[in-house]
Amino acid sequence: AREMRGSIRVPVRLVGSLALADGQSSPQTVLITDLSLGGASVSTASSQLGTPGLEVRLEFTLRAAGLKTKFSVQGWTRE
């Protein structure tokens, strides 16, 4: 784990989906490369949702210690 912007970031390799929070776009498949309490680093093949300041919803499933938990979080894109 490493600290960046005040939160510990944990490296991960998770497939998730990213869409505009207002539902006006189809979800895109993304690769989440790190997570923290304050954000996530996400890679996508498309630049459609890459503009800073867009309100988005990120959905992914974490599997740990035999448990599966689905997360759906709302936030904003940054550079």
Side-chain angles (χ1 to χ4, degrees):
R2 62 189 170 100
E3 187 170 340
M4 189 170 165
R5 297 187 188 106
S7 296
I8 298 292
R9 291 194 164 258
V10 178
V12 296
R13 285 188 59 83
L14 298 170
V15 174
S17 67
L18 185 70
L20 290 175
D22 63 10
Q24 296 298 313
S25 70
S26 297
Q28 294 183 18
T29 300
V30 297
L31 176 63
I32 304 166
T33 55
D34 71 42
L35 289 172
S36 75
L37 290 176
S41 180
V42 175
S43 298
T44 178
S46 167
S47 61
Q48 177 185 358
L49 297 174
T51 304
L54 295 176
E55 190 171 2
V56 293
R57 178 166 301 283
L58 177 64
E59 296 185 344
F60 59 94
T61 300
L62 279 180
R63 293 172 185 85
L67 300 174
K68 257 174 56 169
T69 305
K70 185 172 181 175
F71 291 85
S72 180
V73 294
Q74 201 160 317
W76 291 267
T77 56
R78 295 178 20 168
E79 287 188 45

